[in-house]
Amino acid sequence: MKQRTLKAASLVIILSLFTVLLAACGANSEKTAAPARANAAPNANISLPETLRIGFISANNNKTITGPEGWAQSKGYLESELKKYGVKEFKYFTFPNGPNLNEAISAGTLDVGIYGDTPAINGKAAGLKTRLINVTQVNMNAWLVAKADGSKSLDDLKGKKVATSQGSYMSRYLTSLLKEKGLDKDVKILHLLPADAEAALSRGDIAAYAYPTGFGPLLLKKGYVAIDEAANHPLLQGSSLTVVTEDYLAKNPQFPKLWNDLRTRAVKEIRENNEEYFKFYAEASGYPLDVVKASFKIDQWPVEAALPDGLKLIEETKKFLVDQGLAKKDYAIKDWLTD
């Protein structure tokens, strides 16, 4: 009797141990499977083309974007996250100014463009088939720079030549400023790229040049002077926009959200790592660190893709361009913006 009881007890213990072992194996299987689920694409139904072509403005032809998108690019996740959706090749194209980028979009050689509000708005008004993904930067300053021994004020420009990059946000600032001061009929504006302007300034070929971010503070550091800044005229400041072609969007309607989620992540990171971001920007742009810090503030990159203040700024820009006949036709910004 006692022997049968002992055998039964032994059987219970063996079965209990077997159950524990099975549970442990199951737990280990779940732990092993977890990383595979974590590495899976968030939405397996989204499939992007194998090649993504991105265009942006670069003064030094560097293939690294300088904004939050460039931060994500440098950290590796701009590409690694989009690769989860099928992108295998990223092609980066640089342009000296916005109108050149518009030509590339028109030619069908870009899917995404990051550039100034004025060329982006003018391109859309001229029939360029784009949609607005986001306002990636706001309140961009421009500096109207002259020689230290040259013009001291806007009034000193009367009867003289000035220059800037035609079709840029700086050109809108300069044109608007001269009109506001009643000098638009007395000052001739020439087209000249920022990289070529210093030589013209030093020779006296032009009395002043409207410089963008980076170039402006760099010239001031060299001893030139600013006789005006867009920062003194809030509605004349510029914005940087991101557009996607209508063709790419029609085939990949989920792309804007994927892109903006990555951009938002980057903006949050650079707001927590200001100094590291300034250093990254200096390396990517080729400008000295102090020039970069003098060019902008971190909060010029909004977390939101379509911040109301940013949309208001580009609405004012569009209105000016239409009123001045610089944009071929009017349209509603809300209809241009992606959902």
Side-chain angles (χ1 to χ4, degrees):
M1 184 71 175
K2 288 182 180 179
Q3 189 173 7
R4 286 199 297 271
T5 303
L6 287 172
K7 286 182 178 179
S10 298
L11 182 60
V12 169
I13 292 171
I14 291 170
L15 288 172
S16 299
L17 288 172
F18 184 68
T19 302
V20 170
L21 286 171
L22 282 177
C25 289
N28 287 336
S29 297
E30 288 179 1
K31 288 179 182 177
T32 303
R37 288 197 298 270
N39 291 330
N43 189 335
N45 293 325
I46 299 176
S47 179
L48 299 177
E50 292 188 359
T51 301
L52 180 63
R53 304 168 300 175
I54 304 167
F56 58 97
I57 307 303
S58 174
N60 58 4
N61 203 33
N62 192 321
K63 298 301 181 182
T64 301
I65 309 166
T66 50
E69 301 84 356
W71 172 273
Q73 181 188 8
S74 70
K75 295 298 181 181
Y77 61 82
L78 178 71
E79 296 188 1
S80 66
E81 288 298 315
L82 292 177
K83 282 180 178 179
K84 294 178 182 179
Y85 300 96
V87 182
K88 295 181 179 179
E89 183 181 18
F90 294 80
K91 292 186 176 181
Y92 300 100
F93 299 90
T94 63
F95 300 89
N97 65 353
N100 295 115
L101 193 151
N102 276 341
E103 290 176 5
I105 292 177
S106 180
T109 57
L110 291 179
D111 303 310
V112 176
I114 307 171
Y115 57 143
D117 52 14
T118 297
I121 291 168
N122 280 342
K124 180 64 177 178
L128 202 62
K129 296 185 181 303
T130 62
R131 293 289 297 277
L132 179 63
I133 293 181
N134 63 46
V135 182
T136 190
Q137 187 177 359
V138 296
N139 301 328
M140 293 166 63
N141 200 5
W143 292 259
L144 187 56
V145 175
K147 289 198 300 182
D149 59 352
S151 299
K152 305 297 183 185
S153 67
L154 291 173
D155 289 334
D156 289 343
L157 299 178
K158 190 171 183 178
K160 298 179 181 177
K161 298 176 183 177
V162 298
T164 195
S165 178
Q166 186 178 7
S168 65
Y169 83 90
M170 303 89 70
S171 68
R172 179 180 65 87
Y173 153 71
L174 182 58
T175 303
S176 302
L177 180 67
L178 294 176
K179 184 175 181 63
E180 183 181 294
K181 299 298 181 181
L183 295 169
D184 52 313
K185 300 291 194 300
D186 301 308
V187 178
K188 185 174 182 179
I189 301 177
L190 305 177
H191 168 61
L192 197 61
L193 292 174
D196 302 323
E198 185 179 359
L201 270 176
S202 64
R203 291 193 303 265
D205 295 344
I206 55 174
Y209 187 90
Y211 277 105
T213 296
F215 273 106
L218 181 62
L219 268 289
L220 299 184
K221 184 178 180 180
K222 291 182 177 182
Y224 291 81
V225 297
I227 59 178
D228 192 79
E229 295 182 30
N232 299 329
H233 318 271
L235 292 180
L236 299 187
Q237 295 179 108
S239 305
S240 181
L241 311 182
T242 306
V243 302
V244 63
T245 66
E246 290 183 358
D247 182 60
Y248 190 88
L249 181 63
K251 298 173 183 176
N252 309 283
Q254 305 94 340
F255 177 77
K257 185 180 186 310
L258 297 177
W259 182 271
N260 284 331
D261 285 348
L262 293 173
R263 182 193 163 280
T264 293
R265 172 181 169 183
V267 172
K268 289 179 178 179
E269 289 177 359
I270 67 176
R271 289 192 175 195
E272 294 175 356
N273 301 277
N274 289 9
E275 287 301 316
E276 186 182 352
Y277 178 68
F278 282 131
K279 290 176 182 177
F280 155 76
Y281 196 107
E283 182 178 344
S285 65
Y287 295 119
L289 184 60
D290 58 343
V291 167
V292 171
K293 290 184 175 182
S295 292
F296 51 74
K297 299 176 181 177
I298 293 294
D299 61 8
Q300 288 180 232
W301 286 281
V303 175
E304 300 87 345
L307 190 70
D309 286 349
L311 293 177
K312 180 181 177 182
L313 189 59
I314 64 172
E315 185 65 53
E316 289 293 334
T317 301
K318 177 181 67 69
K319 183 178 183 303
F320 168 80
L321 294 172
V322 171
D323 290 347
Q324 297 299 309
L326 301 173
K328 289 190 176 181
K329 67 176 182 178
D330 199 2
Y331 57 94
I333 294 295
K334 64 180 179 62
D335 293 337
W336 187 28
L337 187 66
T338 55
D339 297 330

